[in-house]
Amino acid sequence: MIIYDSVLKQKVKFEPIRGNEANIYVCGPTVYDDAHLGHAKSSISFDLLRRTLKALGYKVKFIKNFTDIDDKILNKMAATNQSLEQITSHYIQRYKDDMHALNVTDADIEPKATGSLEAIISYIKNLLETSFAYRLEDGIYFDTSKDKDYLALSGRKDENLQARVSSNDGKKDPKDFALWKFDENWYESPFGKGRPGWHTECVAMIKEHFEGDDKYEIDIHAGGADLLFPHHENEAAQCRCGQHKSLAKYWMHNGFVQVSGEKMSKSLGNSFFIKDALSLAPGEALRFYLMSSHYRANFNYDIDDLMASKKRLDKIYRLKKRLSGVKASEVNAKFKDEILGFMSDDLNISAALSVVDEMVNSANLSLDNESKNKALKAQTVANLEFTSNLLGIALKDEFEWFQWGIDDELKAKINSLIEQRNEAKKQKDFALSDALRDELKSLNISIMDTPNGTMWEKL
């Protein structure tokens, strides 16, 4: 497996800390609002990484956190008169629902900041006792001057960096950041009541849930490109000083998402929520669209492109529908090696999807000429199942896929018309049967009689 290391700025061979174990930590969302397309792009990107490593035989331990105590959440509490638990539990569930719609597999462990306070406080206590942190009136701060390698991760220069770090005139250096914010409304600690700073929770969670070696805590730390500085830079600094080793052997970052050519930003009013995109197309179509460009590339979201991407995915479902009921045999070795080869090259998804397209086109041509070839059918189904497991697509029922966008009321009407038509056919009333088919067609519904009954889809 070859991956692109954000720090080295080059592709490198992935060599885990130990054996064939791949330990991955991905920064999750701050849960004060619905998830947006940036969350979706990041989650899908590293879900692909996880699926690829598993397909290559690695034992993967995958953790993604939830930041459930933060200034933004406190502001939401003040604006809504809801409790922290009410807000965060609601948006954690909304986030998980969105991820499931996108076929993003749940992380093995999903720690919350409020559930990791003991680990966070212990981490800060150690930094204080070893003089890598200091106390001010409003909190505990990390002393960046004590880390000789500070800014080595992001490669930034020591100028105008305080713009992305909370300001406090009492700090020793503008780059210093809060580890603990004093606040009588929150949690007890040896250094005073308060709540954790954002940059400490992840490094503490990694220490709590992973077992590293003398050089590294984990194999891969991943997240959006916007996290490289200051978040990941500050995490890495704490680990270097507090534990005298590197936080991660490799750092991976996905690109930004743009909406209609502009960087997605809530301040610009174009932070497109996942739920908005899901009102236009199935979740799997959104996944297929967002993963169709390389994870490191900046992505420009466009509704027309989303619709075009769905049509490309429809072709895979058409083949799956054509082979409905066929049992899989063994995946074609050449197809498997080729697609895995591309995914092993830093998740070269464009090339991998071209292999899938070629397989679909070739299978359809072969089935046109050999419609009764059972071996061909069984292997094609195996190829489709391998594709689904590796890429997280074409996992839905092939008939239900083409029924997306039909509400329950219309579905009930369609099923009633189909039942009436089936009864008319039993009574050999072919005129009524044809009339009912025409009525279904007028509703933009196509029907197909199969050994398993009458199936329908939206035209």
Side-chain angles (χ1 to χ4, degrees):
M1 180 79 185
I2 302 296
I3 60 174
Y4 184 89
D5 186 278
S6 302
V7 178
L8 296 176
K9 294 182 173 55
Q10 65 183 32
K11 289 183 182 181
V12 295
K13 183 179 180 182
F14 174 61
E15 296 177 329
I17 295 170
R18 55 173 63 87
N20 72 331
E21 298 177 16
N23 292 329
I24 305 171
Y25 184 93
V26 176
C27 288
T30 300
V31 284
Y32 70 100
D33 207 343
D34 286 311
H36 53 65
L37 294 176
H39 294 128
K41 179 65 177 177
S42 182
S43 296
I44 292 166
S45 297
F46 301 117
D47 183 64
L48 280 175
L49 173 66
R50 182 187 191 183
R51 288 172 182 269
T52 299
L53 287 169
K54 283 189 172 184
L56 292 170
Y58 289 93
K59 181 181 178 182
V60 181
K61 183 176 181 180
F62 190 97
I63 295 180
K64 183 193 289 185
N65 74 305
F66 289 109
T67 297
D68 64 340
I69 178 73
D70 178 87
D71 290 344
K72 296 184 181 73
I73 297 171
L74 300 190
N75 292 338
K76 191 90 171 188
M77 290 170 61
T80 63
N81 290 319
Q82 291 182 297
S83 69
L84 182 88
E85 172 62 25
Q86 286 174 318
I87 291 169
T88 58
S89 62
H90 172 75
Y91 286 113
I92 285 173
Q93 189 56 56
R94 291 287 289 264
Y95 177 86
K96 289 175 71 71
D97 289 344
D98 284 344
M99 293 304 108
H100 293 160
L102 298 172
N103 293 345
V104 172
T105 311
D106 286 341
D108 297 312
I109 304 174
E110 297 176 333
K112 298 188 293 185
T114 58
S116 307
L117 290 170
E118 186 176 340
I120 294 169
I121 290 169
S122 175
Y123 212 98
I124 297 170
K125 186 170 180 285
N126 175 59
L127 291 171
L128 267 173
E129 290 173 348
T130 52
S131 300
F132 291 110
Y134 59 92
R135 182 188 187 98
L136 291 179
E137 287 186 2
D138 64 340
I140 307 298
Y141 286 81
F142 183 83
D143 188 347
T144 55
S145 70
K146 297 289 182 72
D147 179 19
K148 64 181 178 60
D149 291 321
Y150 192 71
L151 302 181
L153 193 76
S154 60
R156 292 190 175 222
K157 294 182 179 179
D158 186 7
E159 54 189 34
N160 300 320
L161 293 177
Q162 61 266 42
R164 294 202 63 190
V165 183
S166 59
S167 61
N168 182 321
D169 292 339
K171 290 194 296 184
K172 294 181 180 181
D173 187 291
K175 300 188 298 299
D176 295 353
F177 54 91
L179 304 175
W180 187 261
K181 299 179 180 182
F182 294 141
D183 188 332
E184 288 298 316
N185 296 314
W186 295 103
Y187 309 105
E188 295 284 356
S189 82
F191 28 85
K193 288 188 75 173
R195 53 192 174 87
W198 179 38
H199 304 306
T200 303
E201 65 178 84
C202 290
V203 70
M205 289 172 180
I206 288 171
K207 185 176 186 296
E208 181 179 21
H209 295 291
F210 289 105
E211 183 179 349
D213 65 5
D214 293 339
K215 293 181 66 177
Y216 307 102
E217 280 284 65
I218 54 172
D219 295 303
I220 298 173
H221 196 324
D226 58 319
L227 298 180
L228 183 55
F229 182 87
H231 189 51
H232 290 168
E233 186 75 70
N234 291 346
E235 286 184 51
Q238 292 170 78
C239 188
R240 280 192 296 266
C241 294
Q243 296 175 258
H244 308 293
K245 59 181 174 180
S246 296
L247 183 57
K249 189 173 183 179
Y250 308 99
W251 294 81
M252 298 179 71
H253 295 87
N254 63 277
F256 293 106
V257 174
Q258 299 175 317
V259 176
S260 300
E262 289 187 311
K263 178 183 172 183
M264 195 181 68
S265 167
K266 288 188 178 180
S267 62
L268 294 175
N270 65 356
S271 181
F272 208 72
F273 293 118
I274 295 172
K275 65 179 182 180
D276 297 323
L278 294 180
S279 69
L280 302 173
E284 207 173 80
L286 180 59
R287 177 192 178 92
F288 190 78
Y289 174 46
L290 288 171
M291 78 178 194
S292 62
S293 68
H294 195 263
Y295 77 94
R296 284 190 283 114
N298 291 339
F299 188 90
N300 185 56
Y301 177 85
D302 181 87
I303 293 173
D304 290 339
D305 291 340
L306 171 61
M307 296 299 108
S309 192
K310 181 187 179 298
K311 289 180 180 178
R312 187 180 179 190
L313 184 55
D314 284 348
K315 293 179 181 178
I316 300 175
Y317 269 103
R318 290 283 175 205
L319 178 58
K320 186 176 178 180
K321 186 175 179 181
R322 185 174 187 175
L323 297 167
S324 180
V326 175
K327 299 289 186 183
S329 58
E330 292 293 322
V331 63
N332 180 277
K334 182 176 181 295
F335 171 74
K336 180 179 180 179
D337 290 346
E338 196 170 1
I339 193 171
L340 267 182
F342 286 124
M343 291 301 288
S344 298
D345 180 13
D346 194 38
L347 307 180
N348 187 348
I349 189 66
S350 296
L353 288 176
S354 70
V355 174
V356 175
D357 288 340
E358 183 181 346
M359 182 273 292
V360 170
N361 292 334
S362 176
N364 277 318
L365 286 173
S366 297
L367 289 167
D368 287 344
N369 296 321
E370 304 176 69
S371 60
K372 296 184 179 181
N373 188 329
K374 293 183 179 179
L376 171 63
K377 291 181 178 180
Q379 185 174 79
T380 302
V381 171
N383 291 347
L384 287 170
E385 289 182 356
F386 176 78
T387 300
S388 295
N389 291 329
L390 179 64
L391 303 182
I393 57 173
L395 289 166
K396 309 299 182 187
D397 177 86
E398 57 271 26
F399 290 95
E400 290 181 3
W401 174 256
F402 293 102
Q403 298 173 5
W404 186 85
I406 302 293
D407 61 35
D408 290 341
E409 183 179 350
L410 183 52
K411 280 184 180 179
K413 181 176 182 178
I414 291 165
N415 290 326
S416 174
L417 290 171
I418 288 173
E419 288 176 11
Q420 292 175 51
R421 178 176 173 272
N422 289 339
E423 184 60 31
K425 287 175 67 180
K426 279 184 186 178
Q427 301 300 324
K428 300 188 184 301
D429 188 345
F430 299 116
L432 177 58
S433 172
D434 289 344
L436 290 165
R437 178 188 284 273
D438 290 341
E439 185 174 352
L440 286 162
K441 190 174 181 180
S442 71
L443 297 172
N444 290 320
I445 300 300
S446 171
I447 59 174
M448 181 172 67
D449 295 316
T450 76
N452 297 319
T454 303
M455 304 297 179
W456 63 271
E457 67 176 66
K458 182 174 69 171
L459 292 171

